[in-house]
Amino acid sequence: MVSSVGAMIFLATPHRGSNLAEVLNRILAASIFHHSPKLYVAELKNGSQTIEAINDQFRHIAPRLKILSFLETLPTSVGPKKMVTTILLYVQDKLTKRQMVVDKGSATMGYPNEILKSMNADHHTVCKFDNKENPDYISVRNALKSLITEVCLTGVGSVEALAQAQEWVEQMQHLLGACENHQDDFEFFRKRWTTGTCDWILSNTIFNQWATDQEESPVMLWLHALPGSGKSILSSFVINHLLEKSVCVYHFFRFGDQSKRSLSNCLKSTAYQIAEKNPNFRYALMDMSSSSKTLEKADPKTIWDKIFVGILFKLVLPITMYWIIDAIDESDHPQLLVEMMQAVAKSTASIKILLVSRQNDDLISTFDRLSIVVPSVFLPVEDTKKDIRTCVEKEVQYMRASKKFKSMVIERMVAAAHGNFLWASLALVEVMRCNTQEDLDETLAAMPSGMKQLYRRMESNIISKTIDRPQDQRLGHTILTWATCSRRPLALNELTQALQPEFSIVLDLQFTISRVCGQFVIVDASNRLVMVHQTARDHIMTTGSILAVDANEGHKNLLTKCLSVIEGQVHRRGTDLQSDNQGFVRYAVTSWAYHFNLTSVDTDEPLLRLASFLDGKTVLAWIMSLAQLDQLKVLVYSSKIMTLYVRRKRSHYRSTNPILHRLPELDLVESWATDFLKILGKFGPTLLANPSTIYQLIPPFCPRSSMIYQLSERRSPYPPPLQVHGLTQDVWDDSLAKISLGPKTQTVAVVCSASQFAVVTGVGGINLYDSTTFDLQRTLTHKERVCAISFSSCSNLLATYGFRTTKVWSVGTGNSMYQVRNPLGSRAFTITFTADNTKLVIGSNDRLIRIANLANTNPTWSTLHEGLLKADTTIDRPVHNVPWRMAFNSDASCVAVAYRGSPLCVWSLVPPKLIRRCMRSQEYAGNAWTVVDQVIWHPQSEELIGLYMGGHVFRWNPWEDTQQELQAYGSILASSPDGNFFAIGDSNGTMKLYNFQHFVLIYQLSCENLINDICFSPDSKRLYDLRGQFCNIWEPNALVRADESVEHESDVVSEVASNRTAAVSEAVAQVRDQITAIGVQFSGRHQALGNESGIVSLIDATEGSHSPFQLCRSDVSLSITHLDWSSDGNYLASAELTGKVVVKTVQLETDRRGSTATPIFELKIPVSPEGIEQILLDKEADRLLVKNGPAVTVWSSIQEPEGEDNAGTSIMLPDTKWIQHPRDSTLLLAFSPGHVQTYRWDDLAEVSTLDMQKPLFRAVTHDSPKMDQLSLSDHVVRIGSIFANASGSHLLIDTIKATATGQEHSTSILPTSTLKSPARWSSVTPTLLPATIQRLIEIPLGLLPKQRIIFLDKDHWMCSWRVGANPATEKVQKYYCLPKDWLNVEYLKLCALLADGRFLIPNNGELAVIRSAAMSHW
């Protein structure tokens, strides 16, 4: 902030104090309100130490500032003309005169660059102007304008600089989350500093030894002291001192604020401050922000490794950087913080770290271990008497007593404090309240000497003052409960709301707090309620008096209060939770789970209270409120807490009477815990965009056994506004999507980046998919079998290693950016980019590491340390030692190599040397070694994870040679990017998920088919696997819960860690044959489904369940590719993948089992490379059209296919989409991007050609140079779909243009009346939709009555808009949004709309039928 200031204006500012300060203190002392003299008023006196200190600090920055000082020139009337008491005669005499409050000498700073201007004003009017014509106003305005112009011209505060600053702030917020304002705590403690204190440390030998820049000086300083000895104020003093001479970053852990106990928040705040001060570090973080996932929810170790070890410690800083971290003993993980500091020893950046805390045994041993690695010194704060004396003297000087008595008070206070600042400050409050010397003597005599005794005295005083007022005692106890048990400090306005209605509105809450809670509770500078010290909190929670706060009881009461507030004030119609008077409601909405977590399982009250909340209507209002506050992550935290509580409660029930067990309530809580996760995973974006959807638009898409579905079903009106039928799944599953890569496709590997994932096929193709919609974006063709693949860290490049060449692709365009010829006969086991993405590194079967520099115009492979991997690695027998597995660590500085004939070896590349061979434990292999079948590096540590041949997974640190094993059979291995988990796939199709830290199985998924490959998404929330021709995307609860790091994470983590025997979460994925074709009767009753096994089924779209029944089955189990009904619904045509086309007559019986499908026409055609693209029956099933690539053929369905007369009539007409003429059953319409052609059904004779005016897109020919860049289709422009309304009066035409980044839609309306042109050649003009509407359309679906176009928008909401309306006045109507796991490109290609507004979409082998009441009322 200081560096961003270019100028300052002062209006009659007393830089050197004012002689009226003493007068003001006399007024305060003599007032009828008995105010004590104020220290800050005394500091305004001429020559005070505080003013001198401020001026001394300012002189360091003043020379580079533009300074403008305005002077008052008129005397000011500073008091009333008359006083009401004779005691104030002296003061009255002083005040009835008009005086200069700030004279010229005090208002002038005296710097050469200071400009002085006089104002015709006194001290009251120097900044208050009557109007804009006031000469003083004009003078100040012009001065401001001049300074701003000058500063902007010099670049400080320029628009560009502000824009850049805003950009990096936004990127830091994306990467780190919203960091707490670190300056608040510094200023809080700095304001409590007394001039003349703490300066002893500047002359301390140990401190100066640490603070010096000398090379051999200690890096780490641990300053430790007893509680209450002023450590935090001393830290603020050191910070202030270091800020004046160097770069200093800092963090204060605060016991009373849960977020400020978080180690993750400490590291993020530190990184943010460093980024503010160091451009190189800032730019590196900005690069990380643009190329990787956010670290907002990352664990401390991940943040430390990625930001500090991975970036900061590799920089060279121009000057030494100092870190000050205060109260580390109040953090969630103090030992972890100290242990992580060992990495500072390897830092090239000059960093000095000061850690401040109490002393305890755990920290002593941790610092002892640290000192072995990092040069460290310890500084105990033992003698604080001098500072305490200074503080006491500062206060006692205002006491109205003799100097001798003041000296006696000072000596007794200093002696009794025993070095404890807290004791001295609390005792001084009582001393300063004394009015007579007798009071002082009595108070000093009764003053206890220790903190425990002082706290007891404070208790006694509170109890004695409120003994006759039970209401005050209850109020005091309630306030103490909030102060000790709240998740974060409450603001006073929040506390006011929390106390109601049990207590009436308190007129002066701050005064009441001091009266009923004494000095245990204070209101800090931010107007928040906090305990005066952690020791005070500990005392209140352990004392035996009526003020005692029992933690379990306190959290139970606060849980009850939070839930009651939610039930009473969060309503379905919506509550403005962002308003100032809703502060406590926001606290309740986000914090009840915190209190529930800390309740005892010995009582059923918390369980019953939560079950009542979950079983009521308010739970949905709570979820809506979280969405309004953008706090949906609370769902994850609440789910964790509820699951852990249920686990603890069930364990508790084992030793209690079964009759007393509350099992229904436990089941309810456990079921909602699952629902919370799935609601977030499947509907998170929908909720954020429209929170009210939680009531009626989300529950119908949930499984019938889910709590949210059952709750909604009980409370929804009948008929419900939204119904979803046809799905048999009653429970949540973990499947997010299933993508088919086509029959006979061999999948090889899958890799993920931030926004895409790539699947490698056996023929050298690489399919790139969008990781949100799972839409195929493009196919890259390597033209060789690919054996290794890797994304760059920025996700913009993809490297593929083939048999002859390595190619580096641009992910954005699909272009081949680089091509490197591979060494003859060399096959890469692994490929990776270096950290800066400028080089490629491979490890290959010829025992060589190679590197290619992409900065060169024509990059080539060069060998890195040619003899490194060729050293003899055998142990007990000579073998031809050829590697068969290789893996690089995260920065490609080490490589692990597995052999068939020798142990796994780890080699360092910088410097080149063998680190260690992996020798197995005697417990498993008799001190021998075992062949390693798979090996990967843990992404966040120096350990490896591997699979031994024979069925054991192991973790191994090659530097420390520590190893851990676990029995687990598998053939595929993958680690999550955050390092928390790893997954194993076995030959039975089972995928197992393990917690890396505890090395335990936490989840397994059973599914059919062999697993070819596994990988995690970059955010570690999803798993991708390849099975046969399919790529599956899974989102297990175990990953979702772990990914969402929340404020009180330590409580959850500790409980998980202590409960390793918890049951493993198991899931079974039901594999159904996927739907590959739908035959739609737009206005009919039955809809036909074809699947990948050749089965054709029907559903009755009018019945409630919409369950399918099998109609017929193909002779071969291959996909049905197309289905089409005759207009009367009596005939059904089908096309199979093999080229077999069949027309059957369908006879439906009331009993479904009696329904039959009898073939009346059948033929087998050679399938073109493009495949069969379309089949079409005429109205009476007398004709059949088949579009096979560019060839269009019509057969008579009543003739036999043999013979010359039955060969059909064919024409060649590529790039067309065919429909039956809506008004003339004897005609066909063929649409291409620029034309509409009419043909006769009988002989395919052309009737007319209509040129479409206003072509939607200019067609690009096949030889366009853009075609190599666009691999989405064979044509840049094509007709996507054509829909007729029920009456046939209008057609909806969707034209698709392929682009480098995807595809664009253009939708138009064409009246069928325009197709009746008498001329053979003519033109028609379709009506284009307005651009504002077109931009919303993702998938057009059809036309319904009242000229409403129905479509799915970009966010996959079902929408409608009246054609011809003014989009500015008639908005798009939205009805419901499809769940995220339904957004499979294969499903969306087959979705269809019926005439009554029902929507059909496949989902995991079933057909969902969605009915919206609002769409059915047209």
PDB file of all heavy atoms in Angstrom, residues 295-317:
ATOM      1  N   LEU A 295      -5.805 -23.445  -5.345  1.00  0.00           N
ATOM      2  CA  LEU A 295      -5.280 -24.029  -4.113  1.00  0.00           C
ATOM      3  C   LEU A 295      -6.117 -23.610  -2.913  1.00  0.00           C
ATOM      4  O   LEU A 295      -5.698 -23.799  -1.770  1.00  0.00           O
ATOM      5  CB  LEU A 295      -3.829 -23.586  -3.905  1.00  0.00           C
ATOM      6  CG  LEU A 295      -2.823 -24.081  -4.947  1.00  0.00           C
ATOM      7  CD1 LEU A 295      -1.452 -23.483  -4.677  1.00  0.00           C
ATOM      8  CD2 LEU A 295      -2.735 -25.600  -4.947  1.00  0.00           C
ATOM      9  N   GLU A 296      -7.280 -23.051  -3.169  1.00  0.00           N
ATOM     10  CA  GLU A 296      -8.114 -22.555  -2.073  1.00  0.00           C
ATOM     11  C   GLU A 296      -8.432 -23.659  -1.079  1.00  0.00           C
ATOM     12  O   GLU A 296      -8.474 -23.428   0.127  1.00  0.00           O
ATOM     13  CB  GLU A 296      -9.410 -21.972  -2.639  1.00  0.00           C
ATOM     14  CG  GLU A 296     -10.350 -21.445  -1.569  1.00  0.00           C
ATOM     15  CD  GLU A 296     -11.656 -20.951  -2.155  1.00  0.00           C
ATOM     16  OE1 GLU A 296     -11.828 -21.064  -3.379  1.00  0.00           O
ATOM     17  OE2 GLU A 296     -12.484 -20.454  -1.386  1.00  0.00           O
ATOM     18  N   LYS A 297      -8.617 -24.878  -1.566  1.00  0.00           N
ATOM     19  CA  LYS A 297      -9.020 -25.969  -0.693  1.00  0.00           C
ATOM     20  C   LYS A 297      -7.895 -26.976  -0.467  1.00  0.00           C
ATOM     21  O   LYS A 297      -8.113 -28.059   0.053  1.00  0.00           O
ATOM     22  CB  LYS A 297     -10.228 -26.687  -1.298  1.00  0.00           C
ATOM     23  CG  LYS A 297     -11.409 -25.751  -1.549  1.00  0.00           C
ATOM     24  CD  LYS A 297     -12.400 -26.380  -2.497  1.00  0.00           C
ATOM     25  CE  LYS A 297     -13.475 -25.385  -2.898  1.00  0.00           C
ATOM     26  NZ  LYS A 297     -14.382 -25.919  -3.929  1.00  0.00           N
ATOM     27  N   ALA A 298      -6.698 -26.620  -0.867  1.00  0.00           N
ATOM     28  CA  ALA A 298      -5.578 -27.552  -0.757  1.00  0.00           C
ATOM     29  C   ALA A 298      -5.121 -27.677   0.694  1.00  0.00           C
ATOM     30  O   ALA A 298      -5.285 -26.769   1.513  1.00  0.00           O
ATOM     31  CB  ALA A 298      -4.424 -27.099  -1.640  1.00  0.00           C
ATOM     32  N   ASP A 299      -4.509 -28.805   1.005  1.00  0.00           N
ATOM     33  CA  ASP A 299      -3.973 -29.023   2.340  1.00  0.00           C
ATOM     34  C   ASP A 299      -2.654 -28.264   2.486  1.00  0.00           C
ATOM     35  O   ASP A 299      -2.034 -27.865   1.486  1.00  0.00           O
ATOM     36  CB  ASP A 299      -3.761 -30.511   2.596  1.00  0.00           C
ATOM     37  CG  ASP A 299      -2.761 -31.104   1.623  1.00  0.00           C
ATOM     38  OD1 ASP A 299      -3.166 -31.513   0.512  1.00  0.00           O
ATOM     39  OD2 ASP A 299      -1.562 -31.152   1.959  1.00  0.00           O
ATOM     40  N   PRO A 300      -2.190 -28.042   3.730  1.00  0.00           N
ATOM     41  CA  PRO A 300      -0.973 -27.244   3.932  1.00  0.00           C
ATOM     42  C   PRO A 300       0.247 -27.799   3.200  1.00  0.00           C
ATOM     43  O   PRO A 300       1.039 -27.034   2.651  1.00  0.00           O
ATOM     44  CB  PRO A 300      -0.785 -27.285   5.456  1.00  0.00           C
ATOM     45  CG  PRO A 300      -2.136 -27.542   6.007  1.00  0.00           C
ATOM     46  CD  PRO A 300      -2.832 -28.411   5.014  1.00  0.00           C
ATOM     47  N   LYS A 301       0.407 -29.112   3.180  1.00  0.00           N
ATOM     48  CA  LYS A 301       1.592 -29.698   2.553  1.00  0.00           C
ATOM     49  C   LYS A 301       1.606 -29.410   1.049  1.00  0.00           C
ATOM     50  O   LYS A 301       2.656 -29.098   0.472  1.00  0.00           O
ATOM     51  CB  LYS A 301       1.611 -31.210   2.794  1.00  0.00           C
ATOM     52  CG  LYS A 301       2.896 -31.898   2.383  1.00  0.00           C
ATOM     53  CD  LYS A 301       4.057 -31.477   3.272  1.00  0.00           C
ATOM     54  CE  LYS A 301       5.272 -32.352   3.069  1.00  0.00           C
ATOM     55  NZ  LYS A 301       5.810 -32.313   1.713  1.00  0.00           N
ATOM     56  N   THR A 302       0.449 -29.496   0.415  1.00  0.00           N
ATOM     57  CA  THR A 302       0.376 -29.207  -1.015  1.00  0.00           C
ATOM     58  C   THR A 302       0.727 -27.753  -1.300  1.00  0.00           C
ATOM     59  O   THR A 302       1.495 -27.445  -2.228  1.00  0.00           O
ATOM     60  CB  THR A 302      -1.028 -29.528  -1.552  1.00  0.00           C
ATOM     61  OG1 THR A 302      -1.305 -30.917  -1.346  1.00  0.00           O
ATOM     62  CG2 THR A 302      -1.130 -29.199  -3.030  1.00  0.00           C
ATOM     63  N   ILE A 303       0.180 -26.847  -0.508  1.00  0.00           N
ATOM     64  CA  ILE A 303       0.475 -25.419  -0.692  1.00  0.00           C
ATOM     65  C   ILE A 303       1.963 -25.160  -0.491  1.00  0.00           C
ATOM     66  O   ILE A 303       2.599 -24.435  -1.270  1.00  0.00           O
ATOM     67  CB  ILE A 303      -0.359 -24.575   0.292  1.00  0.00           C
ATOM     68  CG1 ILE A 303      -1.845 -24.753  -0.006  1.00  0.00           C
ATOM     69  CG2 ILE A 303       0.035 -23.101   0.205  1.00  0.00           C
ATOM     70  CD1 ILE A 303      -2.747 -24.126   1.024  1.00  0.00           C
ATOM     71  N   TRP A 304       2.530 -25.743   0.551  1.00  0.00           N
ATOM     72  CA  TRP A 304       3.948 -25.559   0.850  1.00  0.00           C
ATOM     73  C   TRP A 304       4.818 -26.055  -0.303  1.00  0.00           C
ATOM     74  O   TRP A 304       5.737 -25.371  -0.754  1.00  0.00           O
ATOM     75  CB  TRP A 304       4.291 -26.265   2.143  1.00  0.00           C
ATOM     76  CG  TRP A 304       5.728 -26.183   2.557  1.00  0.00           C
ATOM     77  CD1 TRP A 304       6.681 -27.161   2.432  1.00  0.00           C
ATOM     78  CD2 TRP A 304       6.393 -25.060   3.145  1.00  0.00           C
ATOM     79  NE1 TRP A 304       7.874 -26.724   2.905  1.00  0.00           N
ATOM     80  CE2 TRP A 304       7.741 -25.440   3.359  1.00  0.00           C
ATOM     81  CE3 TRP A 304       5.991 -23.782   3.515  1.00  0.00           C
ATOM     82  CZ2 TRP A 304       8.676 -24.581   3.916  1.00  0.00           C
ATOM     83  CZ3 TRP A 304       6.926 -22.931   4.074  1.00  0.00           C
ATOM     84  CH2 TRP A 304       8.251 -23.326   4.266  1.00  0.00           C
ATOM     85  N   ASP A 305       4.522 -27.252  -0.775  1.00  0.00           N
ATOM     86  CA  ASP A 305       5.359 -27.839  -1.824  1.00  0.00           C
ATOM     87  C   ASP A 305       5.228 -27.088  -3.146  1.00  0.00           C
ATOM     88  O   ASP A 305       6.226 -26.847  -3.831  1.00  0.00           O
ATOM     89  CB  ASP A 305       4.988 -29.316  -2.019  1.00  0.00           C
ATOM     90  CG  ASP A 305       5.430 -30.179  -0.859  1.00  0.00           C
ATOM     91  OD1 ASP A 305       6.341 -29.751  -0.120  1.00  0.00           O
ATOM     92  OD2 ASP A 305       4.865 -31.263  -0.658  1.00  0.00           O
ATOM     93  N   LYS A 306       4.019 -26.718  -3.520  1.00  0.00           N
ATOM     94  CA  LYS A 306       3.813 -26.098  -4.826  1.00  0.00           C
ATOM     95  C   LYS A 306       4.294 -24.655  -4.856  1.00  0.00           C
ATOM     96  O   LYS A 306       4.924 -24.222  -5.824  1.00  0.00           O
ATOM     97  CB  LYS A 306       2.332 -26.174  -5.204  1.00  0.00           C
ATOM     98  CG  LYS A 306       1.879 -27.549  -5.678  1.00  0.00           C
ATOM     99  CD  LYS A 306       0.459 -27.494  -6.200  1.00  0.00           C
ATOM    100  CE  LYS A 306       0.061 -28.832  -6.827  1.00  0.00           C
ATOM    101  NZ  LYS A 306       0.808 -29.101  -8.055  1.00  0.00           N
ATOM    102  N   ILE A 307       3.993 -23.897  -3.823  1.00  0.00           N
ATOM    103  CA  ILE A 307       4.268 -22.458  -3.865  1.00  0.00           C
ATOM    104  C   ILE A 307       5.644 -22.123  -3.321  1.00  0.00           C
ATOM    105  O   ILE A 307       6.402 -21.380  -3.952  1.00  0.00           O
ATOM    106  CB  ILE A 307       3.174 -21.694  -3.090  1.00  0.00           C
ATOM    107  CG1 ILE A 307       1.846 -21.796  -3.845  1.00  0.00           C
ATOM    108  CG2 ILE A 307       3.571 -20.233  -2.887  1.00  0.00           C
ATOM    109  CD1 ILE A 307       0.713 -21.040  -3.194  1.00  0.00           C
ATOM    110  N   PHE A 308       5.978 -22.665  -2.173  1.00  0.00           N
ATOM    111  CA  PHE A 308       7.218 -22.267  -1.525  1.00  0.00           C
ATOM    112  C   PHE A 308       8.407 -23.102  -2.005  1.00  0.00           C
ATOM    113  O   PHE A 308       9.393 -22.564  -2.511  1.00  0.00           O
ATOM    114  CB  PHE A 308       7.059 -22.352  -0.003  1.00  0.00           C
ATOM    115  CG  PHE A 308       6.041 -21.383   0.526  1.00  0.00           C
ATOM    116  CD1 PHE A 308       4.728 -21.772   0.716  1.00  0.00           C
ATOM    117  CD2 PHE A 308       6.378 -20.074   0.788  1.00  0.00           C
ATOM    118  CE1 PHE A 308       3.776 -20.885   1.178  1.00  0.00           C
ATOM    119  CE2 PHE A 308       5.450 -19.169   1.253  1.00  0.00           C
ATOM    120  CZ  PHE A 308       4.134 -19.575   1.450  1.00  0.00           C
ATOM    121  N   VAL A 309       8.292 -24.431  -1.884  1.00  0.00           N
ATOM    122  CA  VAL A 309       9.392 -25.283  -2.343  1.00  0.00           C
ATOM    123  C   VAL A 309       9.514 -25.227  -3.864  1.00  0.00           C
ATOM    124  O   VAL A 309      10.617 -25.130  -4.404  1.00  0.00           O
ATOM    125  CB  VAL A 309       9.182 -26.740  -1.862  1.00  0.00           C
ATOM    126  CG1 VAL A 309      10.292 -27.631  -2.391  1.00  0.00           C
ATOM    127  CG2 VAL A 309       9.127 -26.794  -0.343  1.00  0.00           C
ATOM    128  N   GLY A 310       8.372 -25.265  -4.548  1.00  0.00           N
ATOM    129  CA  GLY A 310       8.397 -25.336  -6.007  1.00  0.00           C
ATOM    130  C   GLY A 310       8.701 -24.026  -6.700  1.00  0.00           C
ATOM    131  O   GLY A 310       9.199 -24.026  -7.827  1.00  0.00           O
ATOM    132  N   ILE A 311       8.449 -22.889  -6.048  1.00  0.00           N
ATOM    133  CA  ILE A 311       8.652 -21.597  -6.724  1.00  0.00           C
ATOM    134  C   ILE A 311       9.591 -20.695  -5.931  1.00  0.00           C
ATOM    135  O   ILE A 311      10.675 -20.335  -6.399  1.00  0.00           O
ATOM    136  CB  ILE A 311       7.296 -20.883  -6.944  1.00  0.00           C
ATOM    137  CG1 ILE A 311       6.391 -21.727  -7.850  1.00  0.00           C
ATOM    138  CG2 ILE A 311       7.516 -19.505  -7.556  1.00  0.00           C
ATOM    139  CD1 ILE A 311       5.019 -21.129  -8.062  1.00  0.00           C
ATOM    140  N   LEU A 312       9.176 -20.313  -4.725  1.00  0.00           N
ATOM    141  CA  LEU A 312       9.914 -19.279  -3.994  1.00  0.00           C
ATOM    142  C   LEU A 312      11.352 -19.684  -3.706  1.00  0.00           C
ATOM    143  O   LEU A 312      12.282 -18.892  -3.893  1.00  0.00           O
ATOM    144  CB  LEU A 312       9.182 -18.948  -2.685  1.00  0.00           C
ATOM    145  CG  LEU A 312       9.861 -17.887  -1.812  1.00  0.00           C
ATOM    146  CD1 LEU A 312       9.906 -16.540  -2.532  1.00  0.00           C
ATOM    147  CD2 LEU A 312       9.156 -17.768  -0.475  1.00  0.00           C
ATOM    148  N   PHE A 313      11.556 -20.903  -3.244  1.00  0.00           N
ATOM    149  CA  PHE A 313      12.889 -21.320  -2.824  1.00  0.00           C
ATOM    150  C   PHE A 313      13.853 -21.493  -3.995  1.00  0.00           C
ATOM    151  O   PHE A 313      15.047 -21.694  -3.791  1.00  0.00           O
ATOM    152  CB  PHE A 313      12.815 -22.622  -2.017  1.00  0.00           C
ATOM    153  CG  PHE A 313      12.088 -22.468  -0.698  1.00  0.00           C
ATOM    154  CD1 PHE A 313      11.736 -23.576   0.050  1.00  0.00           C
ATOM    155  CD2 PHE A 313      11.770 -21.221  -0.205  1.00  0.00           C
ATOM    156  CE1 PHE A 313      11.072 -23.441   1.250  1.00  0.00           C
ATOM    157  CE2 PHE A 313      11.114 -21.070   1.002  1.00  0.00           C
ATOM    158  CZ  PHE A 313      10.755 -22.179   1.732  1.00  0.00           C
ATOM    159  N   LYS A 314      13.334 -21.390  -5.218  1.00  0.00           N
ATOM    160  CA  LYS A 314      14.197 -21.477  -6.394  1.00  0.00           C
ATOM    161  C   LYS A 314      14.551 -20.102  -6.954  1.00  0.00           C
ATOM    162  O   LYS A 314      15.307 -20.000  -7.914  1.00  0.00           O
ATOM    163  CB  LYS A 314      13.504 -22.311  -7.476  1.00  0.00           C
ATOM    164  CG  LYS A 314      13.280 -23.771  -7.067  1.00  0.00           C
ATOM    165  CD  LYS A 314      12.559 -24.548  -8.155  1.00  0.00           C
ATOM    166  CE  LYS A 314      12.340 -26.000  -7.724  1.00  0.00           C
ATOM    167  NZ  LYS A 314      11.617 -26.775  -8.760  1.00  0.00           N
ATOM    168  N   LEU A 315      13.992 -19.055  -6.346  1.00  0.00           N
ATOM    169  CA  LEU A 315      14.285 -17.699  -6.796  1.00  0.00           C
ATOM    170  C   LEU A 315      15.514 -17.151  -6.082  1.00  0.00           C
ATOM    171  O   LEU A 315      15.902 -17.633  -5.021  1.00  0.00           O
ATOM    172  CB  LEU A 315      13.098 -16.772  -6.521  1.00  0.00           C
ATOM    173  CG  LEU A 315      11.774 -17.118  -7.210  1.00  0.00           C
ATOM    174  CD1 LEU A 315      10.697 -16.129  -6.786  1.00  0.00           C
ATOM    175  CD2 LEU A 315      11.920 -17.124  -8.719  1.00  0.00           C
ATOM    176  N   VAL A 316      16.106 -16.132  -6.669  1.00  0.00           N
ATOM    177  CA  VAL A 316      17.187 -15.388  -6.032  1.00  0.00           C
ATOM    178  C   VAL A 316      16.629 -14.013  -5.685  1.00  0.00           C
ATOM    179  O   VAL A 316      16.251 -13.241  -6.572  1.00  0.00           O
ATOM    180  CB  VAL A 316      18.412 -15.259  -6.957  1.00  0.00           C
ATOM    181  CG1 VAL A 316      19.491 -14.422  -6.290  1.00  0.00           C
ATOM    182  CG2 VAL A 316      18.946 -16.649  -7.314  1.00  0.00           C
ATOM    183  N   LEU A 317      16.546 -13.713  -4.387  1.00  0.00           N
ATOM    184  CA  LEU A 317      15.955 -12.461  -3.937  1.00  0.00           C
ATOM    185  C   LEU A 317      17.022 -11.377  -3.843  1.00  0.00           C
ATOM    186  O   LEU A 317      18.152 -11.654  -3.425  1.00  0.00           O
ATOM    187  CB  LEU A 317      15.281 -12.650  -2.580  1.00  0.00           C
ATOM    188  CG  LEU A 317      14.178 -13.718  -2.515  1.00  0.00           C
ATOM    189  CD1 LEU A 317      13.607 -13.802  -1.104  1.00  0.00           C
ATOM    190  CD2 LEU A 317      13.076 -13.420  -3.520  1.00  0.00           C
TER     191      LEU A 317
END
